Amino acid sequence: MTQTVAVLGTGKIGEALLSGMIRAGWRPADLLVTTRRSDRAQELHTRYGVESVTNAEAAKNADILILAVKPQDMGKLLDELTPHVTADRLVISAAAGITTTFIEDRLAAETPVVRVMPNTPVLVDEGMSVISAGSHATGAHLATAEEIFGGVGKTLRVPESQQDAATALSGSGPAYFYFLVEAMTDAGILLGLPRAQAHDLIVQAAIGAAVMLRDSGEHPVKLREAVTSPAGTTISAIRELENHGVRAALIAALEAARDRSRELATGNG
């Protein structure tokens, strides 16, 4: 961990990566950040002991650049970085929909680029980050990205051709669960439960179900069937979900998210 890493764009995801790296053993002296506001820079320095620099200074001094800006800001950021990034740097992009080719075409020839799609549970060290290599990234570059993002959850390598699907499933995935919890909470209120109690019941059910899925190794159908008694309450609910096309709606929603990720990649913001 003797390399210098710069996080460009320290919003929630950028800060989560920063804190995860420090917990994993990176020295604050080896970490740089860029921010838009001086008060934010001071906040990060007070909290983590890291130095705030300009984008150009980060490009000149860091061995690894983590681009954690919004997709629509990537072009402008690369314009700032291009004069200063040499091909011996590793560039890691965490911007949804931005391809490695988009970045490679704007940097020095043969600059290694790794594309990563994290999701918001990196904020609580339970994230899933999907990692893909660009044209010039090696296994060692992928391992470096895994080391960084592994500090805030799990990582998975996929071909870049699968990144839009992974964005739809994992990057946007937490929002689908929040939407479901919201709907189930409203149902609990309709059934006569106070909101706080309905919320607590649903959240714990979600946590328990997720842990069982992760730790049991069982197929979700088998776990669902274990809850579904003949002529019981659960099968009555499942029938209504199927009657209302919930399964088909989820598939259509994921397809829409994938298609939007593709649009972002072509600059149709």
Side-chain angles (χ1 to χ4, degrees):
M1 299 183 186
T2 57
Q3 295 178 302
T4 300
V5 180
V7 180
L8 287 76
T10 41
K12 290 183 177 180
I13 298 296
E15 183 178 354
L17 290 173
L18 182 67
S19 64
M21 291 174 69
I22 291 173
R23 288 192 303 276
W26 293 79
R27 298 188 309 148
D30 295 328
L31 302 174
L32 303 172
V33 298
T34 71
T35 65
R36 290 183 175 179
R37 307 189 325 268
S38 58
D39 59 329
R40 176 61 170 164
Q42 183 58 49
E43 177 185 351
L44 292 170
H45 177 73
T46 301
R47 190 173 296 167
Y48 303 108
V50 295
E51 179 183 359
S52 178
V53 297
T54 66
N55 290 329
E57 289 171 335
K60 292 176 184 177
N61 298 311
D63 303 296
I64 302 169
L65 302 173
I66 301 175
L67 313 184
V69 298
K70 295 178 180 179
Q72 58 266 34
D73 296 330
M74 184 62 78
K76 181 180 178 181
L77 174 62
L78 290 172
D79 289 341
E80 292 184 55
L81 300 181
T82 297
H84 311 291
V85 177
T86 54
D88 60 344
R89 309 292 170 81
L90 170 59
V91 176
I92 300 174
S93 169
I98 301 297
T99 65
T100 57
T101 300
F102 179 91
I103 298 171
E104 290 167 349
D105 287 348
R106 287 159 177 78
L107 298 178
E110 299 188 1
T111 299
V113 178
V114 173
R115 177 178 173 182
V116 184
M117 184 66 245
N119 59 14
T120 55
V122 298
L123 299 171
V124 292
D125 294 347
E126 290 291 348
M128 173 55 80
S129 298
V130 183
I131 299 176
S132 301
S135 301
H136 312 294
T138 66
H141 295 130
L142 290 173
T144 297
E146 288 172 334
E147 179 185 1
I148 292 170
F149 284 82
V152 289
K154 293 188 175 183
T155 63
L156 178 68
R157 295 188 192 186
V158 302
E160 189 170 9
S161 60
Q162 296 178 3
Q163 273 282 357
D164 292 318
T167 296
L169 197 64
S170 176
S172 301
Y176 314 146
F177 288 98
Y178 302 145
F179 183 86
L180 181 61
V181 168
E182 178 187 1
M184 291 177 69
T185 300
D186 288 343
I189 295 169
L190 180 65
L191 296 175
L193 291 169
R195 176 175 294 275
Q197 289 185 7
H199 176 81
D200 288 347
L201 288 169
I202 295 161
V203 169
Q204 187 56 39
I207 293 171
V211 171
M212 288 185 71
L213 277 168
R214 183 190 65 192
D215 295 348
S216 70
E218 297 285 359
H219 193 282
V221 170
K222 187 171 183 178
L223 292 174
R224 177 176 61 79
E225 288 177 345
V227 188
T228 309
S229 303
T233 58
T234 305
I235 193 59
S236 296
I238 295 296
R239 180 187 61 187
E240 289 301 315
L241 291 172
E242 295 289 8
N243 286 344
H244 285 80
V246 172
R247 188 187 303 268
L250 283 171
I251 293 172
L254 289 167
E255 289 178 330
R258 178 207 58 197
D259 294 345
R260 180 57 180 154
S261 181
R262 289 174 176 171
E263 289 175 359
L264 290 171
T266 61
N268 296 322

